[in-house]
Amino acid sequence: MDESSEVQSLDFDWDRPRRRGFTEAVYCEGKSPDQLREVARQIRDASTDSSLAFLFTRADAPRAAALKEILPDAFHDEQAQFLSWPALPPPVTGTRVVVACAGTSDWKVAREAELTASYMGRETQLIADVGVAGLHRLLSHQETLREAGAIVVVAGMDGALPSVVAGLVEVPVIAVPTSVGYGAAFEGLAALLTMMNSCAAGVAVVNIDNGYGAGVLAAQITSG
Amino acid sequence: MDESSEVQSLDFDWDRPRRRGFTEAVYCEGKSPDQLREVARQIRDASTDSSLAFLFTRADAPRAAALKEILPDAFHDEQAQFLSWPALPPPVTGTRVVVACAGTSDWKVAREAELTASYMGRETQLIADVGVAGLHRLLSHQETLREAGAIVVVAGMDGALPSVVAGLVEVPVIAVPTSVGYGAAFEGLAALLTMMNSCAAGVAVVNIDNGYGAGVLAAQITSG
Amino acid sequence: MDESSEVQSLDFDWDRPRRRGFTEAVYCEGKSPDQLREVARQIRDASTDSSLAFLFTRADAPRAAALKEILPDAFHDEQAQFLSWPALPPPVTGTRVVVACAGTSDWKVAREAELTASYMGRETQLIADVGVAGLHRLLSHQETLREAGAIVVVAGMDGALPSVVAGLVEVPVIAVPTSVGYGAAFEGLAALLTMMNSCAAGVAVVNIDNGYGAGVLAAQITSG
Amino acid sequence: MDESSEVQSLDFDWDRPRRRGFTEAVYCEGKSPDQLREVARQIRDASTDSSLAFLFTRADAPRAAALKEILPDAFHDEQAQFLSWPALPPPVTGTRVVVACAGTSDWKVAREAELTASYMGRETQLIADVGVAGLHRLLSHQETLREAGAIVVVAGMDGALPSVVAGLVEVPVIAVPTSVGYGAAFEGLAALLTMMNSCAAGVAVVNIDNGYGAGVLAAQITSG
Amino acid sequence: MDESSEVQSLDFDWDRPRRRGFTEAVYCEGKSPDQLREVARQIRDASTDSSLAFLFTRADAPRAAALKEILPDAFHDEQAQFLSWPALPPPVTGTRVVVACAGTSDWKVAREAELTASYMGRETQLIADVGVAGLHRLLSHQETLREAGAIVVVAGMDGALPSVVAGLVEVPVIAVPTSVGYGAAFEGLAALLTMMNSCAAGVAVVNIDNGYGAGVLAAQITSG
Amino acid sequence: MDESSEVQSLDFDWDRPRRRGFTEAVYCEGKSPDQLREVARQIRDASTDSSLAFLFTRADAPRAAALKEILPDAFHDEQAQFLSWPALPPPVTGTRVVVACAGTSDWKVAREAELTASYMGRETQLIADVGVAGLHRLLSHQETLREAGAIVVVAGMDGALPSVVAGLVEVPVIAVPTSVGYGAAFEGLAALLTMMNSCAAGVAVVNIDNGYGAGVLAAQITSG
Amino acid sequence: MDESSEVQSLDFDWDRPRRRGFTEAVYCEGKSPDQLREVARQIRDASTDSSLAFLFTRADAPRAAALKEILPDAFHDEQAQFLSWPALPPPVTGTRVVVACAGTSDWKVAREAELTASYMGRETQLIADVGVAGLHRLLSHQETLREAGAIVVVAGMDGALPSVVAGLVEVPVIAVPTSVGYGAAFEGLAALLTMMNSCAAGVAVVNIDNGYGAGVLAAQITSG
Amino acid sequence: MDESSEVQSLDFDWDRPRRRGFTEAVYCEGKSPDQLREVARQIRDASTDSSLAFLFTRADAPRAAALKEILPDAFHDEQAQFLSWPALPPPVTGTRVVVACAGTSDWKVAREAELTASYMGRETQLIADVGVAGLHRLLSHQETLREAGAIVVVAGMDGALPSVVAGLVEVPVIAVPTSVGYGAAFEGLAALLTMMNSCAAGVAVVNIDNGYGAGVLAAQITSG
């Protein structure tokens, strides 16, 4: 047994910005406050490029508190469980990312997607309450949707919204199923399958509740 | 071993019209032409109430041919694999059943639903090509949809159409998932789950490809 | 990032009664007491048509308490986690909705269905303890079942009750699988699949534990 | 590589009758006519106890023909795909096995169960067309069901029949789900789950379409 | 809305002993102490046949305490969460039920099966720690297994034990999958599927963790 | 029954290019040669904008032959089952789409993606045989991958390739699971789940074997 | 569109023997005879190290014929659908690989495992007909099993055999689930899950029907 | 009812070291502190061979405390929930076991595998933070990986790491899926399926989070 293996490695992937253009986000769920403080310390001490935002996802209140002990000037959004250091997003470049969702239940995932894109340097806009069961609201936003550089559509339950949105626009649509619903929603599986089978071409899907991943992809698409 | 059990029973449920108001339909899949001829003979010989239609579902061309040997004046729709004896639907009563679907692939299930309702005595109308990826077509039919007594919505792939339709009307909506699609459509499972989780209340779902069941239910709803 | 997106939208779909004939129900699960108070305030301030009931589903005790701070004269049923404002159902119209279930475990879902239909203006009747393992009880209610305008059948575990009920009547049957059971019940999936495959035509299924949806559909069917 | 492994072993478990009271049945599906002829030869040459029936299941017409080349006096039931040598069942002992099913589609599995019990020495009776959607037929057989030593209930689609039967009797009920149905029947999975969750205690389930296994178990139960 | 429906029915199926030979067991999970006290009162007041045991399953410590307030002389087994009133099992009749399991984890389900059979009037024997990974222990019990009237085999994880046991005996084997295990055990699904596919004929399966159902069936089988 | 409903609608969505920037592709699977000839005729007669390519997917040899009767100058790729009319792709605009896959088995899906992007006006490059089990080949293409405007990664079996590719680049990655594999590949489900859970952010997934959808999305992303 | 991409790449991973110690096997399913002839030509022309065997798996009769046109002196086993060039396995090194299975149905997968290990240079032995339903046969092979360097256990249906074997020995056990069975066997899923949950530590599992993968791993384990 | 069955058996399999070369590990989850103290007492009193380590898995802090009351000199690793008595691993024999994982989330499972192999007498090395999304780190460890006797690869989420590792080495690879991830990770199912379908031959899989099983197998493989 190697002695050194008793110390759990938390080495950050410092090479990622060079390869991928953005930093490795820290997924906080399942990490202890101690572990998070250690990561935050590494980031604080090693960061040299102040134009890069370091993002922490699934940072609930106690975990955010631990991070803020080390990075007191970080930005934290409690509903989206999203923390960024430094607190200000980088200057806006590229085209606009629009995030659409059906209501309050999907809001926190939509917000995570929006904040991620914002902290990767995009202008963003979040449209809430545009569910398929009330088309008139969605149709009133057609102009905004058509002018976006990329659209993230967040939906739980029947997951039908991305098909409807993609049918209206020329823009790439990233669909995010959420675990909102009950019974045969199977914690987002129903929405995920719906979205994989979208009648409208030009829709791609990320993991259930993965607002972060959708935000990254939307920011990459709109970087030009 | 009981000798009599070597003869496979095909006894018809003659009591059903009294209890349920319609005859037992014969599901032809998995039955041999010989078995179907035997059933047809029983029906021909025993039927006394000429106002009741006897329906045969999943009657493909060879099975329909076998049935027509015994019931030569029956009506057969090849695409819907639907056969009725006698050939004419009963006089129209109740309110109108509208059947909506997204395209040619779902058409045969939609048609089975329409024919079933028609042969149970309803006025029917089938609207095809009203998919969610092209809302303008659906919206142009709003008047027709709102004036129906019940709507059957047939959809495969993402199964999103019933949610959108139900959001537009006061009428009961019966959703029929179809096995149309591939990959993560899982032979209709994706559409079934979508429909079970419809954001719009007032939607109920029947089995995958079960146009017959949807037609029966729609006819019952509109019987008043 | 759009500033306005930091305020989570809770806009009510005020157009729904015109389109669909009933108000948008508020699904309380996953909403905070603060959010519910805000919704209640909007409803209280904007409601002009006192004949429309506003329904809140999955309103457990603490959520109902929050709502009653704003709508003190609301009706709340604790077992069904159902709240209505105003407290009195509208005058009865249409035909009667009968709700049937097998026992105490399914009772709260059955009650949610019954209350929903009642607050949409229907006469209702709830028959409990009519499981398939004791047919004599079910058969003693045949008269009541046959005279209904629509029947909601609620069942968990084997989900066999809707097939048996539908085999006895001419009336549309709405089946509600419940998450009652354990092991291979898979939280209602077994009952859901059973009901989708009902041997009796004229059965349609709503989501697991979705008493509300079944009540809406039953009320729509019996509105005539 | 061991030379001897190039010859595929087909050694019969000759010890089984001593341990288990019945011979190893030969499952013919997936075996070539050559392999079956070889098995038949071993059985013909080694059998000494003429009171033991050797059973071959899933023996379709061509496979049965191959077996009959070696065992020309065997009994074959084409629908049940069941072959026995010798042709006559052993003398009847124990109590009666009743097999019940809902219709022609489940008949071949029911027949396999009945023949298996019969060739293990039981008196048997097969009741067909007793589906849950027409209770009156089932209720007319109550006397027969109550007097059985064990009941095998075969059902596809909603799989609801075993719950209803078990609710009427004191007798052990063996439930056999069948792959009859389509869509959400998922080739028998829906019926299997229904049966596992039977509201009536005293029901146990065998594999989908496993009439043979149900017949063996019923014969064991009624051997006393 | 029917006023009477506000009172939740808890009517006991008093006809069951006549039809089925044993009383309706009360499944306590999901019932409140108040509801259980009410059921207990009905049973205490109505019971006239002291030879019938009333069984309560899934009766954890607080629920058992509530029941004992009304039925102070009941028998309770805490691990099996099993309560019987009266406390003494009926006189032994029929043949012996043997229950086998692999270890301490499956013990409580095995014990529920044993107690159920015992309170239905059977002699019982429980053999623990006979897993497939240590065949020598199982083989040392062969005599006991062969002499049983029926065997209940309880197993989680790989669920392999029933196949091995059934391969050794002539006796009916009832298999009970348990939710013991983790990961790909999928809360008993893996064991359930294994048991449905047993290589040894004469095995039937009850629901996951359903020791009660296995005990009832074993008692029925051995009643003769 | 509406007479007109007996004619199956095949109306083309002529409005789509205005809304979405590309024409509705015709999914040929499940359509008869007669139906396809009818669609082709409509397209031939109505097309006015020669810069728009009409695409037909899943056009196997007999279906392509039927289409070519009407559109004799169309382009057909037999392996990709892809047909375009007119035969020449539009002039190249935007940035380059790179398609990567692991071997001959995934090639036809990769080719469908490449052809789709090409006929939507993009420069394309297909890199085959870059599986994760031989990293050296993949690493030798790093330059090409990094310079793409979007990358489509096609993989069956373990579906691991998109994670590895996305870890190397700043570019949006569209992952296409394929049904290549056997056993626990579950016809592409394993690869789909792998891709949904990619460790590398910036990956989105389309349906199993949906090379067309991936090509559309990649072309949309690179249109700028 | 890159012209060169119209030629489907079939480049062999010539670097694999250096990295992994064995050649890349060619999985023939889904490859056309033309493609296989092309692969065979590349191998024939480029092979320089006559001590390395090139293996082709899932090579049914027509595919083997195509390969033998180019490599006429290859070895082909029709049942195992296994082809090797050159025909003779390399000299035996390492310890012995024992392959065990329950009967004729699993034999072809077992044989593929045995041949793979043999052509990677191991002494092998195949034991057939050692199912869990007849323990005496398995126990008679204990000596052979204990003396192996690694054991491959192949089983379908209940998949219980690996647990029993691993409980008897100190040797690594590789379990191969097969698609043998029907109904709830779900094409090998039941056996796969059983094996993942083996009560005996020291068992690892490969894909359903993957005799080749098991043979490679067993040969690697026994190489020392 | 057998009186003795009221005492739950906890008999240890003392024969296992003779048969299998290592002791039966005690899986602590689901066992009460009382039960664990009893097991510990049996082990302490009966152990005679001080060279055999007794292992306890899933021993969280309270369970470890109970065990240490009886075995005060035991070794406990809190993160891996692993306890051994005696505290020192046996002398090192065989070749080295390398354990690789992608990060802090999978660390505790990797550590359990490492400790298990160590206490079975192997030299071990744990490499953390070698995920597929940052290949450079993995490639920097190639030398270590190639020189191992066996490699355990632990991965959650997309589970892609074992394919990549196995593609680089000649050594047997044991893959351990973990329940790390969310949404479509389905608690490790996605990673499990990925690993079962590994493109690289020579990979076998153990249960989700089963570090112990992987450690045992790796130690068996490297014992030579």
Side-chain angles (χ1 to χ4, degrees), chain B residues 30-111:
Chain B
K31 294 202 174 68
S32 69
D34 272 359
Q35 292 176 319
L36 290 172
R37 271 186 290 261
E38 173 59 26
V39 177
R41 238 174 256 121
Q42 286 188 32
I43 286 172
R44 183 195 58 195
D45 297 347
S47 172
T48 54
D49 178 355
S50 67
S51 77
L52 282 173
F54 289 86
L55 307 184
F56 299 76
T57 62
R58 306 273 170 119
D60 56 15
R63 285 186 175 85
L67 290 165
K68 285 196 151 186
E69 288 174 34
I70 313 300
L71 307 168
D73 53 337
F75 165 86
H76 184 236
D77 183 295
E78 189 160 346
Q79 277 203 299
Q81 301 193 329
F82 177 97
L83 186 146
S84 173
W85 183 81
L88 286 184
V92 165
T93 58
T95 54
R96 187 194 286 180
V97 171
V98 171
V99 180
C101 71
T104 61
S105 304
D106 297 326
W107 199 83
K108 66 180 190 176
V109 176
R111 181 74 172 140

Side-chain angles (χ1 to χ4, degrees), chain D residues 16 18-22 220, chain E residues 141-148 151 162 164-173 201:
Chain D
R16 193 166 297 188
R18 189 192 57 75
R19 286 197 329 275
R20 306 215 56 200
F22 58 96
Q220 288 178 321
Chain E
H141 290 287
Q142 277 192 78
E143 199 67 14
T144 304
L145 293 168
R146 285 171 180 275
E147 287 170 359
I151 304 173
V164 176
V165 170
L168 298 170
V169 301
E170 291 192 38
V171 182
V173 170

Side-chain angles (χ1 to χ4, degrees), chain A residues 16 42 57 71 80 93 96 100 128 130 140 153 165 170 186 193 195 199 202:
Chain A
R16 193 166 296 191
Q42 286 187 33
T57 63
L71 307 167
T93 59
R96 187 194 287 182
V130 287
S140 74
V153 184
V165 170
E170 292 192 36
F186 293 123
L193 292 178
M195 293 169 176
C199 295

Side-chain angles (χ1 to χ4, degrees), chain E residues 10-113:
Chain E
L10 284 164
D11 292 330
F12 209 75
D13 184 358
W14 294 108
D15 183 53
R16 194 166 297 190
R18 189 192 57 77
R19 284 195 332 274
R20 305 214 57 199
F22 58 96
T23 60
E24 183 184 5
V26 179
Y27 180 75
C28 298
E29 200 163 294
K31 295 202 174 67
S32 69
D34 273 359
Q35 292 176 319
L36 289 172
R37 272 185 290 261
E38 173 57 25
V39 177
R41 236 174 258 122
Q42 286 188 34
I43 287 172
R44 183 194 59 195
D45 297 348
S47 172
T48 54
D49 178 356
S50 67
S51 77
L52 282 175
F54 289 85
L55 307 185
F56 298 76
T57 62
R58 306 272 170 121
D60 56 14
R63 286 186 175 85
L67 290 165
K68 285 196 150 183
E69 288 174 34
I70 313 300
L71 307 168
D73 54 338
F75 165 85
H76 184 237
D77 182 295
E78 190 159 345
Q79 276 202 299
Q81 301 193 331
F82 178 96
L83 186 144
S84 173
W85 183 81
L88 286 185
V92 166
T93 59
T95 54
R96 187 194 286 181
V97 171
V98 171
V99 179
C101 71
T104 61
S105 304
D106 297 327
W107 200 83
K108 66 180 190 176
V109 176
R111 181 76 172 140
E112 186 189 35

